Amino acid sequence: MTVISDPLMHPTKRPRRLFKNLMAKLASIPMILTAVVVFVGGTAWTVLYSFTGSRMLPKTNWVGLDQYERLWSSDRWIISITNLGIYGSCSLVLTLVIGFSLAACLDRKIRFESAFRSIFLYPFALSFVVTGLAWQWILNPDFGLQSVVRGWGWESFVFNPLNDANTVIYGLLIAGLWQGTGLIMCIMLAGLRGIDEDIWKATRVDGIGTIKTYIVVIIPMMRPVFITSLVLIASGIIKLYDLVVAQTGGGPGLASEVPAKYVIEYMFRAQNLGQGFAASTMMLCSVVVIMIPWAYLEFGGRKRG
Amino acid sequence: MSKILKSLLVGSALVAAPASQAIELEVTHWWTSGGEAAAVSKFADAWNATGNSWLDGAIAGSGGTARPIIISRILGGDPMAATQLNHGRQAEELIEAGLLLDLSDVAEAGGWADIVNPSALLESCTLDGKIYCVPVNIHSAQWLWLSHAAYENAGLDVPNDWNEFVGSAGALQAAGTLPLAMGQQGWQQNLAFGAITIAVAGTEAWREVTVNKNAEVAAGPEYTAVFEAMVDARKLASESNVQDWNQATNMVITGTAGGQLMGDWAQGEFAVAGQVEGVDYSCLPGLGLNDILDTGGDAFYFPVNDDPAITAAQKELAALLISPEVQVSFNLAKGSLPVRGDIDMSSANGCMQKGLKILANGGILPSGDQSLSADTQTQIEDLMAQFWSGDMSAADAQDDYAQLIKKAD
C-alpha cells in the first residue's frame, strides 16, 4: 500500500515491481493456471454448454433456456433439491451441535479422553461408500437393528427408515452424522483447547455457570473455528453423492435422490450433457447464493473493523 | 501393405491370422458375473486360438458404470481395440464423430445380411448404409419366472400366463408368499413395464408408441389398460424390498416369492442354484400372453485405430465373433440366443428352446434400446421408479408417460 501511495514513484518503476520476488511468482504460475483454466475455465465452459442441446458429445446447437425449463419441470430434480435441503439443514445443525457437545464433554478433563477421541474420530477414516454399505446393513429390517431388537423380545419394534420413502433421507442423515461429527468434534476440541485458562478463572470469579460460560463466552470466542467447521460441513453437503449411491441407490423409487446424482446420471447414463450441465449450473448457483452474502459479511465486515 | 491386408482379410479372415504377426487386442466389456465371465472366455479362447492374444478389459459393475468409462476412453483418445456396447442408439454420436471403425467390408465378405436373424439387429448396427458393430447375442426382457415351490406350498398349479398369475396372487399371499418379487431399481421397474405393455396393449400399440413415438396412442385406452395392470402389479410387489435383480430372482429360487418379471439372463441364476426348468421353475416368454420377445442384446464396436495392423486384427476379430462355432459356445454359456438362425442349438435348455422357437416364428420386436435414446429411457426409468415406490395413480402415470413420449427424439 505504501508503495502505491508514494508520490515519488515513477511509472518506470512499475516493471521492477513485476519482477519482485520473481521466483515466487514463477513458482506459483502452475497453480494460477490451474485455478484459471481448470476451475474458472471449466466452470464457464459448463455454464456455456448448459444452453446447448448437447447429448453424448458437446455441441454448440443453442437451445436457450430449454434445458433449465426441463430441469425445473422434472419431478426428480425437485425431489433431489428438497432432499438436499432437508439433509443439508439437519446435517448442518446437528453436526455442529453434536460435534460441539462432544468436544465440550471431552474438554471437561474426563478419564480416557484420548480413547474416546479416537473412537469418535474413527468413522471419519472410513469412506462414504463403506459407511453407506455398513449403515445399509445396520438399517436393514431383516438382519440389522430391527431384527436384533426383536430378537431381544420386543416383537413389535419397527425401525426401517430406508424402505420408507418419507424417512429414507433421515436414514442417510444418521450415516452422514455418524461419519462426519468426529472430525468436527476434533476441530472444536482444538478450538476449546485454544481458549485461555484465565477466561475460565475469570468467569468462575464472576460466578457464571459452566453451560452459560460455554454459550455466552466460549462460543463467540471460537468464531473462526465455527467458520472452518461450517465450510467443511457445507462442502460435504453439496457434494453428497457416494453415500446415497452406496446406501440406497437413490431409492426407494426416487425418494433419496440428490442433485449431484442427477448431474452424473444425466451426463453419463442418459447421455444428455446439456441437461447435466444445466443441473450442475443450478448447483453452482445455490453455492454462489449462499457464499456471496457470507463472503461479503465475513471479509467486507473485517475491513470496517 | 494395406492392399495385402485387405486381400488377406477378404480372402479368409480366420485362416489368415496365424500367418500374420500375433497381435494383442484389448477388449472391454462388463460381463463379470460367473456365467458371463465363462461366456466371454469362449471369445477369448477362440481369439487366442487364432494365434493372437486377447487382453481382457472387464469393467466391474453394470453397463451403467462401464459405458461412461468406455465412452470417455474412446473420446479421450485412448481407445481399446474392441468394446461391448448394447446395440442401438448408444453409439450413434460416436459413429457420427467418426470414432468407430466401418465394418461394411467384413460384413459383406461374411454375408451378414443373410445370416443375421432377426435382421433388425444388423439394422441397429447400421448408420447411413454402413455397418459399425457385430451383434453377438440376443437378450429379451419379456419373461415371467415362476417358482414351483411357492405354488406347491399354496396348493396351486403353476400359472400359464400373466392373468392366471394375477388371479393366483391372493392364494399366494394367504400362504405367506410374496406374489411378485421386484427389485427397487428404475431399470427393473421399467423392464416390468415393458413386459406388461407388450402383454396387455399388444404389439401394434407398443410399436406405435415406442418406435413411432405416437403420444396419442400413449394417452389412449390401450395404455390405460397397461397402467391399470401396473397398479395391480404394484400391489403384488408392495412387500418386496430387495434392490438387485438377482436378489429378487433368489426369492423365486427359494420359493419366498411366486414370480418375477426379468430378462432371460435370470436363468443363469437358476442354473447356478442347480434348478431344473419345468421341475423347480417355469418360464413364460411374453408373459404367456403374446409369443413375442424383444431383441435387445450385446454388440461389439471397434474404435478407429491409426495402426493398420491393429485395424486388420479388429476386422478379423469381428468376423470371428459371429462365426458359427463361437456363436454356439458363447451363447450356451451366456444363456442368450444366437444372432444367426443357421446354427445348431439343440443342446440349449427348455427356456432357451422356447425363445429360439419364438425367434424362428418371427415373434420379435426391436428393444427399447434400439428405439429410444438413452435420455428418454432414463426419464422413463425415473417415472417408473416413482410410480412403483409411491402411490401415483394410473392416470397420472399415463399422462407423464405420454408427455415423455411426445418429447422423445
Side-chain angles (χ1 to χ4, degrees), chain B residues 127-363:
Chain B
L127 197 80
D128 298 332
K130 291 179 181 164
I131 293 170
Y132 291 92
C133 67
V134 197
V136 294
N137 64 357
I138 302 169
H139 273 305
S140 49
Q142 293 73 24
W143 295 77
L144 177 60
W145 305 89
L146 296 163
S147 164
H148 285 210
Y151 280 93
E152 264 167 39
N153 189 29
L156 295 170
D157 288 335
V158 178
N160 290 315
D161 63 35
W162 173 253
N163 295 332
E164 285 182 33
F165 172 75
V166 174
S168 70
L172 281 182
Q173 267 166 332
T177 309
L178 176 74
L180 184 64
M182 170 69 70
Q184 302 294 314
Q185 289 169 348
W187 70 268
Q188 296 178 54
Q189 294 157 332
N190 189 28
L191 181 146
F193 168 65
I196 293 174
T197 309
I198 292 175
V200 174
T203 51
E204 277 313 303
W206 185 89
R207 205 182 279 277
E208 194 58 31
V209 170
T210 311
V211 181
N212 298 338
K213 282 106 184 164
N214 186 335
E216 276 168 38
V217 177
E222 289 98 341
Y223 269 68
T224 308
V226 171
F227 281 94
E228 274 158 11
M230 293 264 291
V231 171
D232 290 341
R234 182 170 67 185
K235 276 184 210 139
L236 304 185
S238 61
E239 299 288 311
S240 177
N241 56 17
V242 290
Q243 290 286 332
D244 292 321
W245 68 269
N246 50 349
Q247 292 172 334
T249 309
N250 194 45
M251 293 177 79
V252 179
I253 291 172
T254 56
T256 51
Q260 184 195 12
L261 291 166
M262 188 40 63
D264 53 8
W265 50 90
Q267 68 183 318
E269 296 294 306
F270 289 101
V272 169
Q275 298 216 321
V276 180
E277 190 265 337
V279 179
D280 302 304
Y281 71 98
S282 288
C283 53
L284 298 176
L287 312 194
L289 294 175
N290 276 328
D291 273 349
I292 294 284
L293 292 173
D294 73 0
T295 51
D298 300 295
F300 275 84
Y301 287 81
F302 300 83
V304 168
N305 202 295
D306 297 337
D307 187 343
I310 290 183
T311 307
Q314 285 176 319
K315 293 187 172 181
E316 194 184 325
L317 178 61
L320 178 74
L321 294 179
I322 203 170
S323 66
E325 306 78 33
V326 175
Q327 275 291 305
V328 172
S329 61
F330 171 77
N331 282 302
L332 285 179
K334 184 85 162 62
S336 51
L337 303 176
V339 294
R340 46 195 296 167
D342 59 348
I343 51 176
D344 179 28
M345 291 292 285
S346 52
S347 49
N349 74 9
C351 286
M352 279 175 78
Q353 297 292 0
K354 282 187 192 178
L356 285 167
K357 212 169 127 195
I358 293 176
L359 212 60
N361 292 340

Side-chain angles (χ1 to χ4, degrees), chain A residues 72-113:
Chain A
W72 285 102
S73 63
S74 138
D75 280 347
R76 177 169 172 177
W77 176 250
I78 304 293
I79 293 171
S80 302
I81 291 281
T82 318
N83 278 341
L84 190 69
I86 297 174
Y87 179 92
S89 46
C90 292
S91 166
L92 193 65
V93 172
L94 290 176
T95 310
L96 283 177
V97 169
I98 297 174
F100 183 78
S101 309
L102 287 175
C105 291
L106 286 187
D107 193 42
R108 301 313 295 169
K109 301 191 176 61
I110 57 165
R111 244 187 281 180
F112 309 123
E113 185 204 307

